[in-house]
């Protein structure tokens, strides 16, 4: 158990809908990272927040957005969902903004039907 | 574009065998290389390597980095069925003050009894 928690574990929704994934980092970690893992793309970095501020952006679609709250938990919002958005979404955390040693949560499996 | 390539893509061995997993990279602003083990769900951290030629060891696992030739290897000796997993290599690159991880596609290791 890494100490990073994610909810929900599974999510099934329809195309065009909007969902919110939630992540709580390990105690003491200020950075939160979001990743998408699909069969054909592997593990792809989406976005990083450090102490409430966006720090780095990867291959995140415009339909996706994230934020980190004062209590350091983070939410990833996915809107106008498409079938291709079906994937495992991981959150990871690290102490500093530079990581790089990141600890991963158990993931949220999103299925878009 | 940053690239991390792992080989082989999959490997099937018997208990007691020794395996070597490879990771080569082409990135700008290299900071460190990390190995993760992914079983059913979340990747779990194994090693972080920053200096060339210094072996990191943990039990039956060891890893070394060659920054001149831009590769790393992960060795597992006396394999056990519990070593069956996907092994992911990730390279941390500078993204301003942050560190962004680029992952390889992984090596699927299956250890048969």
């Amino acid at each position: 158990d890494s100490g990073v928690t994610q909810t929900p574990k599974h999510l099934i929704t329809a195309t065009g809908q909007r969902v919110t994934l939630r992540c709580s980092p390990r105690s003491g970690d200020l950075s939160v990272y979001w990743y998408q893992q699909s069969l054909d793309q592997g593990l792809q970095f989406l976005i990083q927040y450090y102490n409430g501020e966006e720090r780095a952006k990867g291959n995140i679609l415009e339909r996706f957005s994230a934020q980190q709250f004062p209590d350091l938990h983070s939410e990833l919002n996915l809107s106008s969902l498409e079938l291709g958005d079906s994937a495992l979404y991981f959150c990871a955390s690290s102490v500093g903004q530079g990581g790089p040693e990141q600890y991963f949560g158990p993931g949220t499996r999103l299925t878009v039907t | 574009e940053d690239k991390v390539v792992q080989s082989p893509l999959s490997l099937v061995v018997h208990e007691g065998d020794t395996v070597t997993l490879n990771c080569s990279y082409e990135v700008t602003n290299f900071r460190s290389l990390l190995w993760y083990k992914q079983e059913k769900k979340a990747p779990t951290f194994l090693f972080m390597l920053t200096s060339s030629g210094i072996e990191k060891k943990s039990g039956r696992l060891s890893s070394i980095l060659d920054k001149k030739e831009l590769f790393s290897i992960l060795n597992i000796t006396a394999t056990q069925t519990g070593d069956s997993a996907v092994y992911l290599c990730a390279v941390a690159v500078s993204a301003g003050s942050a560190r962004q991880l680029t992952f390889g596609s992984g090596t699927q290791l299956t250890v048969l009894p």
Side-chain angles (χ1 to χ4, degrees), chain B residues 8-72:
Chain B
L9 289 180
S10 68
L11 198 49
V12 180
V13 300
H14 287 92
E15 270 193 318
D17 288 349
T18 292
V19 298
T20 298
L21 310 184
N22 304 294
C23 175
S24 63
Y25 59 92
E26 271 181 55
V27 301
T28 51
N29 300 317
F30 173 91
R31 302 301 295 181
S32 57
L33 186 143
L34 298 91
W35 284 96
Y36 284 84
K37 177 182 181 183
Q38 186 174 23
E39 294 174 87
K40 295 269 191 274
K41 279 280 186 115
T44 53
F45 173 78
L46 293 175
F47 296 112
M48 182 173 75
L49 303 136
T50 52
S51 303
S52 240
I54 297 176
E55 188 182 49
K56 288 265 177 119
K57 220 169 152 59
S58 175
R60 295 175 295 102
L61 277 66
S62 63
S63 183
I64 198 158
L65 172 66
D66 186 328
K67 285 166 79 171
K68 187 179 169 196
E69 300 297 330
L70 308 182
F71 78 89
S72 173

Side-chain angles (χ1 to χ4, degrees), chain A residues 23-70:
Chain A
C23 166
S24 291
R26 291 187 319 161
S27 177
D29 284 0
L30 298 179
S31 270
V32 168
Y33 310 78
W34 285 97
Y35 291 87
Q36 179 192 58
Q37 188 174 40
S38 55
L39 281 172
D40 57 342
Q41 292 284 333
L43 200 56
Q44 300 277 317
F45 168 70
L46 296 177
I47 197 163
Q48 178 200 359
Y49 277 81
Y50 173 76
N51 208 19
E53 292 189 14
E54 183 185 304
R55 272 292 179 261
K57 228 169 179 175
N59 301 320
I60 188 165
L61 298 172
E62 281 189 23
R63 300 183 285 108
F64 297 0
S65 65
Q67 53 185 325
Q68 186 179 27
F69 295 86

